[in-house]
Amino acid sequence: MKLDEAQRKSVTGWIADGLKLSDIQSRLGSELGLNLTYMEVRFLVDDLKLTPKDPERPKAAETVLAAAAQPSASAAALAASAAEPAPASAAGGGVTVSVDQVTRPGAVVSGKVTFSDGVKADWHLDQTGRLGLSAQQPGYRPAAADVQQFQAALELELSKQGL
């Protein structure tokens, strides 16, 4: 495939912008009127001695889990404030957290929590470090103090297991 100088500059710019070959194939068709197969686009990019940028690879589950287990400054403050009243609430039935032996599908780590009002819920950390909570009662929202105790207890349980 022979391209004029302006077309070569367009393709070079698209590669520099980080476009994938399929995106370049689409742009060649829509902007330059060149309908090429994916393989032809690969050969074209190779002929122009261009190298597409590799997409950023997702973090490994261990890296995400380590980041999730490391509390941020605000989470550390919440954990510190929740750690003080924990012994008093433990006698009154406080928040209890357990980690599943077999992790839920799609989660890095998962478990169960029982809040101070007796409502039970399942929790999980996904690959991006987000915490998910699904209570047995539809629409249930735990009290703010329970959330703080849950975060502190979860951090403690995960650290016990070396996570």
Side-chain angles (χ1 to χ4, degrees):
M1 166 93 341
K2 296 284 184 183
L3 298 179
D4 62 28
E5 189 60 34
Q7 292 171 330
R8 277 191 222 118
K9 285 184 181 181
S10 296
V11 173
T12 303
W14 296 335
I15 290 287
D17 291 342
L19 292 181
K20 297 183 288 182
L21 291 177
S22 60
D23 297 330
I24 292 171
Q25 178 186 13
S26 298
R27 282 201 173 180
L28 283 169
S30 65
E31 294 180 18
L32 303 179
L34 299 172
N35 293 321
L36 302 176
T37 65
Y38 184 83
M39 188 60 75
E40 290 171 327
V41 173
R42 285 187 62 187
F43 289 141
L44 173 68
V45 169
D46 188 50
D47 289 344
L48 294 175
K49 298 189 182 354
L50 300 172
T51 304
K53 294 180 182 177
D54 287 332
E56 219 175 281
R57 293 187 179 191
K59 294 180 181 178
E62 295 82 24
T63 306
V64 171
L65 182 58
Q70 297 288 331
S72 64
S74 60
L78 290 175
S81 66
E84 295 170 6
S89 63
V95 176
T96 58
V97 175
S98 65
V99 178
D100 290 339
Q101 294 293 325
V102 178
T103 304
R104 277 174 70 165
V108 176
V109 65
S110 63
K112 299 189 181 345
V113 59
T114 304
F115 293 103
S116 62
D117 55 4
V119 176
K120 296 181 180 186
D122 294 328
W123 63 266
H124 71 275
L125 281 174
D126 68 10
Q127 289 81 5
T128 61
R130 291 180 298 188
L131 179 63
L133 190 65
S134 70
Q136 293 176 348
Q137 277 184 0
Y140 174 75
R141 295 183 72 76
D146 279 0
V147 172
Q148 291 176 350
Q149 289 178 11
F150 167 62
Q151 289 174 337
L154 179 59
E155 181 181 353
L156 181 65
E157 282 299 314
L158 292 177
S159 66
K160 283 181 187 176
Q161 297 189 10
L163 300 174

